[in-house]
Amino acid sequence: MTRNILTQTLLTTSVMAATLAGASSVLANESHLPDEPIRFVTPYPAGGSHSLHAGIITAVGEEFMGRPLISVIRGGGGGAVAAAEVARSTPNGTMLLFGDPTINSLRPQVEDLPYAMEDFVPVARINYSPAIFVTTPDQPFQTIGELVDYADDNPGDVVYSSDNRNGFTYTVFEMLKATADIEMRGVELGGGGPAVTQLLGGNTMAYAGDPSVVGEHLEAGTLVGLCVTDTERFEAYGDIPTCQEEGYDVVFQFWRGVMAPAGTPEAVIAELSDGFERMTQDEGFLRLINQIGSGIQFLGHEAFAEALGAEQAALREAYLGE
């Protein structure tokens, strides 16, 4: 049974369990949320790490929110289309953005976008992941060192799958190019799903993506892991070294978190944060997350706000010198 089929089977089972549990009564007596479903907006195309995580969250979330979570896929503009839509929505907790560092910390500071960082308030960080640099078995490099040497010998000839300008993949490849002093060309494809498809199809030569996106292909042998952008090896793929181990100081951890429109009442934020925290402690939810090679590093709304502010300041210093 493939990972995708197994995941869908487990999702179906979880939905049935949540329904039988009578989830709608969980917060009925004290909820500050309107009595309507919550639209959970994923800002990237289907097939990437965001949509995989969001599918699990929305499948099991009703039990912990007391109302259905409806998955909404709203790709476009590297996440800007979805972010702008959520920013303009009624701030009452019924429309949430599944955000990340590029949408909520980096791009609003370096690009002219139809929303600003201040248009959102943090609800909860669900987890974070490093990127895994990968290639296909038929490429002339099979380690990160060999990739760097090949790029050094053939300036500009390496074409890699990217996501969006200033996105996750874009950033880690820029870090690699800077630290190794090499030239490579990225093709921006809008998300992890299309990026992997182009790599597997032979149209690009490398990629750096979330373990939930590339893991199935690593296990099948259709992709080869080069290095991980974390300070430690990724537990599920312990044979893949960190980039630092290989001599390249590339460390980047991509968080996924729930963001609400600015102006959402504090009581609603606290209620949502509590619901997501209970969800991330649930054994069934954790089994599903584990099936896509991911994990949980939860932060509630207050701790998340502190971490987010520090990240935004650090990126402002790094990119703008302010």
Side-chain angles (χ1 to χ4, degrees), residues 229-247:
T229 66
D230 206 343
T231 56
E232 298 179 354
R233 295 193 181 200
F234 197 72
E235 183 176 355
Y237 308 103
D239 59 329
I240 303 175
T242 68
C243 300
Q244 287 184 324
E245 286 181 74
E246 298 296 282

Side-chain angles (χ1 to χ4, degrees), residues 92-289:
N92 61 1
T94 60
M95 192 171 195
L96 304 172
L97 177 71
F98 200 23
D100 62 51
T102 61
I103 292 177
N104 295 107
S105 293
L106 176 57
R107 294 188 62 203
Q109 301 195 77
V110 298
E111 300 178 43
D112 183 14
L113 298 174
Y115 69 95
M117 290 192 306
E118 295 75 22
D119 290 336
F120 295 95
V121 292
V123 174
R125 188 187 76 179
I126 302 299
N127 62 4
Y128 68 81
S129 299
I132 301 179
F133 281 94
V134 294
T135 189
T136 51
D138 58 345
Q139 294 299 332
F141 43 82
Q142 297 295 289
T143 69
I144 194 67
E146 290 175 357
L147 167 60
V148 168
D149 289 343
Y150 185 88
D152 190 44
D153 293 337
N154 304 273
D157 285 357
V158 175
V159 179
Y160 59 89
S161 292
S162 186
D163 42 19
N164 307 284
R165 184 171 181 82
N166 295 320
F168 185 24
T169 296
Y170 178 96
T171 300
V172 295
F173 265 101
E174 289 299 306
M175 295 171 72
L176 178 62
K177 287 189 283 186
T179 192
D181 192 23
I182 53 175
E183 296 179 22
M184 295 184 286
R185 295 183 292 124
V187 179
E188 296 173 20
L189 297 164
V196 170
T197 298
Q198 293 300 310
L199 175 59
L200 292 172
N203 298 315
T204 60
M205 303 170 70
Y207 175 59
D210 186 271
S212 65
V213 176
V214 302
E216 181 177 4
H217 303 288
L218 290 170
E219 293 172 5
T222 51
L223 290 179
V224 177
L226 305 180
C227 70
V228 181
T229 66
D230 206 343
T231 56
E232 298 179 354
R233 295 193 181 200
F234 197 72
E235 183 176 355
Y237 308 103
D239 59 329
I240 303 175
T242 68
C243 300
Q244 287 184 324
E245 286 181 74
E246 298 296 282
Y248 305 100
D249 192 18
V250 180
V251 177
F252 192 85
Q253 297 162 334
F254 184 80
W255 57 260
R256 300 171 197 82
V258 184
M259 309 293 290
T264 301
E266 291 184 7
V268 170
I269 297 295
E271 181 178 325
L272 289 167
S273 178
D274 178 67
F276 283 113
E277 182 173 15
R278 288 185 290 110
M279 180 190 72
T280 58
Q281 296 170 346
D282 178 72
E283 291 184 4
F285 173 80
L286 293 173
R287 281 197 299 271
L288 292 174
I289 287 294

